[in-house]
Amino acid sequence: MKLWLFGIYGIVGSTAIVGERAIRRGLSDTTGLVSELSYFKKLKDFAPLEFDFGGHDIRSLDKNLYQITEEHWELNHHFDRRILEQLKGDLENIKAKKGTAINCGEGVLEDLKPVNTLEEEGFTLREIVERLEEDIGNFADEDTVAINVASTEPLLPFDPEYHSTLEGFEKALEEDRKDKISASMLYAYVALKRGIPYANFTPSVGSSLPALKELAEKVGVPHAGNDGKTGETLVKTTLAPMFAYRNLKVLGWMGYNILGDLDGKVLAHKRNRESKIVSKDKVVGKILGYYPYTITEINYFPSLQDNKTALDFIHYEGFLGTKMKFYFIWDAIDAIVAAPLVLDIARFLLLAKKKGLKGVVKELAFFFKSPMDTDEYNTHRQFEILKEWYKELVR
Ligand SMILES: NC(=O)c1ccc[n+]([C@@H]2O[C@H](COP(=O)([O-])OP(=O)(O)OC[C@H]3O[C@@H](n4cnc5c(N)ncnc54)[C@H](O)[C@@H]3O)[C@@H](O)[C@H]2O)c1
């Protein structure tokens, strides 16, 4: 089993790899992994928790994954340092390949300062695709899955001519329309074209582009996304149904998020932040069936590093028109809640592939803030749907 990560040098990507290795070597247990719940125990027959890792990134390409993880660790102390030391040999052997930062916005270009990306070296879109295909091709086998854990891109305006069909998308590649194509689209394109299941852990467009959905159907490969549901949105979509079940009217919902680290730095840029805000904001209305007043804010707070804090305030109306309030604070280490999901999604997608599924796997909505091709945002129902889907597949 192999896992290719776009954005492998980020804290989510590196923590997923540390987690998988730590579990395999008996340095940690499987707490936090949905795929390790006893209900899913047959998953190990189709997609065991054993991966080789590779990936693309756009910075620090002279370093190996151990050095990168050390840098994340120095800032965050997000797990027991002894685990890192014991995995040193494993992590030193993992090195990122050079990716593309095309249309990744000023958040990535200014703050992560990628050097000599493929497009900066003068590659055309076709040549970038060929290079990415070569990297993945040299790594992949029949049991490979790819997940995008790169920084969030700005929303690129939808252009029906180039985005709605596979023919249009490939025309954009031939015409070298660099203004129409983003990195996440290219990554999804190369993975799906090679028959590798793909998931978009970010709010970036990735395989949700109609042209790429067509590609997945044509090749016969499963894919899923978008944007891992790991923290505040997980709580929101678990809690909002309570108001609906009890016929309480939500008048307003404010979610105020602060975080530091690279992700926070990139999201400090308005255009990179926009896609994340859309992804977080719409879930309450989707669950309630009406759209209360909402405020969704994300702000950069450097000293927090990867410790993300969300403050939510809900104003609601009960019996006899009486108004009441509910508050919660979510305070988590972002990578620690995200990394196990990356491994879960990889395993469920490989199961889907082995069972011959193709196209969007909407039953994986449980893992995403903006699930593709479904209007089911209620976490409780999403979990039941996941269990039913799994039961049918493995029986
Ligand atoms: N709880 C969570 O942490 C969580 C939840 C949902 C979604 N996400 C998303 O997951 C992604 C990763 O989060 P993170 O905290 O690891 O961020 P990070 O900034 O630590 O890592 C992102 C990595 O992607 C790399 N990158 C940026 N643009 C790239 C490109 N075009 N190609 C290849 N690599 C590229 C960066 O160099 C960096 O190493 C973000 O988009 C984030 O919004 C995170």
Side-chain angles (χ1 to χ4, degrees):
M1 314 268 299
K2 296 188 175 189
L3 176 52
W4 187 267
L5 296 169
F6 303 105
I8 187 170
Y9 281 179
I11 191 164
V12 172
S14 58
T15 307
I17 298 172
V18 167
E20 185 270 357
R21 282 298 138 96
I23 292 167
R24 255 166 91 174
R25 288 175 181 272
L27 305 174
S28 179
D29 66 16
T30 55
T31 305
L33 281 159
V34 175
S35 55
E36 285 293 313
L37 287 170
S38 63
Y39 190 88
F40 300 115
K41 62 177 180 288
K42 283 192 193 152
L43 193 55
K44 67 177 181 324
D45 301 338
F46 302 93
L49 184 58
E50 283 173 17
F51 289 102
D52 288 340
F53 295 94
H56 284 111
D57 210 295
I58 43 131
R59 64 181 180 93
S60 302
L61 298 172
D62 53 329
K63 297 185 177 151
N64 61 49
L65 191 74
Y66 174 76
Q67 294 166 305
I68 291 289
T69 310
E70 226 184 357
E71 287 175 8
H72 288 303
W73 194 90
E74 290 301 334
L75 292 171
N76 292 292
H77 293 212
H78 46 314
F79 50 81
D80 187 334
R81 171 87 197 200
R82 285 171 299 182
I83 294 180
L84 185 56
E85 292 319 320
Q86 292 184 68
L87 298 179
K88 188 168 185 226
D90 278 12
L91 303 181
E92 276 173 344
N93 286 327
I94 302 174
K95 279 202 83 177
K97 296 285 184 188
K98 182 187 291 191
T100 165
I102 206 152
N103 286 314
C104 284
E106 57 189 24
V108 169
L109 299 178
E110 287 176 14
D111 284 322
L112 303 187
K113 298 189 178 41
V115 269
N116 299 332
T117 51
L118 299 176
E119 55 283 7
E120 277 171 346
E121 288 188 8
F123 281 53
T124 62
L125 284 177
R126 261 290 162 217
E127 288 165 343
I128 295 175
V129 164
E130 278 165 21
R131 176 65 87 85
L132 301 177
E133 279 176 345
E134 193 184 318
D135 295 336
I136 299 184
N138 288 336
F139 170 85
D141 62 9
E142 274 309 292
D143 290 332
T144 301
V145 60
I147 301 193
N148 184 356
V149 287
S151 311
T152 303
E153 296 169 0
L155 297 163
L156 203 59
F158 184 80
D159 185 332
E161 188 181 349
Y162 295 107
H163 297 154
S164 50
T165 63
L166 181 57
E167 194 187 348
F169 187 84
E170 292 187 328
K171 186 164 78 128
L173 298 182
E174 290 320 321
E175 294 175 357
D176 201 28
R177 290 297 303 263
K178 291 203 171 82
D179 55 329
K180 301 291 176 195
I181 301 289
S182 70
S184 73
M185 294 179 196
L186 290 181
Y187 292 146
Y189 177 74
V190 294
L192 295 173
K193 193 161 159 248
R194 208 188 177 283
I196 296 174
Y198 169 90
N200 211 28
F201 201 77
T202 82
S204 309
V205 65
S207 66
S208 59
L209 202 69
L212 299 180
K213 286 183 176 173
E214 185 187 326
L215 173 63
E217 289 286 343
K218 187 175 155 200
V219 177
V221 60
H223 63 120
N226 285 352
D227 200 7
K229 181 159 93 168
T230 58
E232 187 223 14
T233 311
L234 174 65
V235 182
K236 265 172 138 172
T237 54
T238 304
L239 191 62
M242 177 193 79
F243 291 97
Y245 302 152
R246 284 295 170 103
N247 198 10
L248 298 167
K249 192 195 291 174
V250 176
L251 305 169
W253 194 308
M254 186 213 69
Y256 190 78
N257 299 265
I258 46 176
L259 76 162
D261 220 12
L262 293 182
D263 194 22
K265 223 174 192 179
V266 170
L267 293 175
H269 291 262
K270 188 168 177 287
R271 292 200 55 234
N272 290 81
R273 187 169 63 235
E274 261 165 11
S275 14
K276 192 64 136 186
I277 289 196
V278 171
S279 189
K280 287 172 92 65
D281 193 58
K282 64 175 181 222
V283 296
V284 169
K286 291 272 186 191
I287 290 171
L288 297 174
Y290 58 90
Y291 285 82
Y293 178 72
T294 54
I295 297 175
T296 301
E297 280 287 338
I298 305 175
N299 276 310
Y300 181 46
F301 200 105
S303 59
L304 279 179
Q305 299 298 352
D306 200 43
N307 192 185
K308 154 98 138 309
T309 301
L311 305 142
D312 277 55
F313 169 74
I314 303 135
H315 199 202
Y316 68 99
E317 191 176 294
F319 202 42
L320 301 173
T322 300
K323 294 188 173 78
M324 294 168 277
K325 294 160 194 157
F326 184 96
Y327 311 76
F328 73 82
I329 294 176
W330 172 262
D331 192 344
I333 307 296
D334 240 13
I336 294 299
V337 288
L341 253 63
V342 171
L343 301 171
D344 287 331
I345 293 166
R347 297 180 74 190
F348 283 113
L349 268 182
L350 279 170
L351 170 69
K353 182 180 176 187
K354 288 197 172 158
K355 291 293 177 179
L357 301 188
K358 61 176 182 173
V360 175
V361 188
K362 56 182 191 302
E363 291 84 356
L364 297 185
F366 176 67
F367 295 108
F368 299 103
K369 289 191 196 68
S370 300
M372 275 197 261
D373 290 6
T374 172
D375 259 338
E376 189 54 84
Y377 285 70
N378 177 325
T379 303
H380 312 277
R381 288 217 285 267
Q382 287 173 337
F383 189 49
E384 293 309 314
I385 289 168
L386 174 71
K387 289 200 302 187
E388 274 308 305
W389 171 81
Y390 164 86
K391 197 168 89 186
E392 284 302 310
L393 282 185
V394 301
R395 91 192 154 116

